[in-house]
Amino acid sequence: MLGHSLGEYVAATVAEVFSLEHALRAVCARARLMSELPGGRMLAVPLPEAELDAVMEDGLEVAAINASERCVVAGSAEAVERARHRLAERDVEARLLATSHAFHTSAMEPMLRPFAEVLAGLDLHPPRRTWISNVTGRRIEPTQATDPEYWVTHVRRPVRFADGAAAALDLSGALFLEVGP
């Protein structure tokens, strides 16, 4: 299994790391804590991660690497707008995402400790099924899955979906089924 961002909680629930009740408690707490943070923006950029240096500035971070040439940068509304303008000058058509915050960036820092406290009160069990981590892009380790700090890190670090998809392609007998909205 491979879930993108919040989708990794689904994978962990299917793998029986979280009970459904505890997964919902974690997801709701995560959403509530995020909603209390200052807003931000996210921008889908059709460039590889290595080519993002031309638009990066203070207050702008890589939030996701979704494919070899599909990344998301995030930050303040002003920093994202400047990046979009610089990309347009290079004839790179980036797309603003319909988000309220700069997820998977340092903007999430203020919610990390309160979220860790929520996670510490949940029962986390070794996975009965494996999945690919958004944090590392590799198979989840049982010690990661059951460590509340892994889930705190998950909020803050970029989603390494491209690495995860590549790892999934290396699995023998893999079945690809996309489930989403």
Side-chain angles (χ1 to χ4, degrees):
M1 295 180 287
L2 171 63
H4 190 285
S5 188
L6 194 56
E8 189 165 349
Y9 288 80
V10 175
T13 303
V14 171
E16 300 181 38
V17 169
F18 293 107
S19 66
L20 180 57
E21 177 187 342
H22 283 193
L24 292 172
R25 194 177 303 165
V27 167
C28 289
R30 180 180 183 262
R32 179 183 49 77
L33 291 164
M34 287 176 169
S35 74
E36 296 169 357
L37 298 173
R41 300 300 309 259
M42 299 183 83
L43 184 68
V45 181
L47 290 174
E49 183 180 13
E51 292 182 30
L52 293 177
D53 287 344
V55 298
M56 299 305 280
E57 63 174 58
D58 284 344
L60 197 64
E61 299 173 49
V62 175
I65 302 94
N66 290 325
S68 61
E69 295 189 11
R70 300 272 180 229
C71 293
V72 175
V73 297
S76 69
E78 299 79 17
V80 168
E81 191 53 40
R82 286 190 299 270
R84 188 165 75 142
H85 180 72
R86 285 192 301 278
L87 287 162
E89 288 174 342
R90 296 177 57 203
D91 292 324
V92 176
E93 192 172 325
R95 183 175 51 89
L96 283 172
L97 300 179
T99 61
S100 58
H101 291 77
F103 301 115
H104 296 285
T105 70
S106 60
M108 300 293 107
E109 296 275 339
M111 59 125 346
L112 298 182
R113 286 305 105 212
F115 188 51
E117 292 171 14
V118 170
L119 292 166
L122 303 180
D123 293 326
L124 301 176
H125 304 280
R128 292 181 166 230
R129 293 170 192 82
T130 192
W131 76 87
I132 310 230
S133 162
N134 283 179
V135 175
T136 66
R138 296 185 304 272
R139 284 183 178 201
I140 193 78
E141 296 293 331
T143 55
Q144 292 172 309
T146 57
D147 183 355
E149 282 303 311
Y150 171 82
W151 297 99
V152 170
T153 301
H154 182 273
V155 170
R156 169 63 182 89
R157 299 274 299 279
V159 175
R160 303 212 60 89
F161 194 78
D163 292 342
L169 287 171
D170 284 343
L171 299 174
S172 65
L175 170 69
F176 284 88
L177 174 65
E178 182 179 3
V179 179

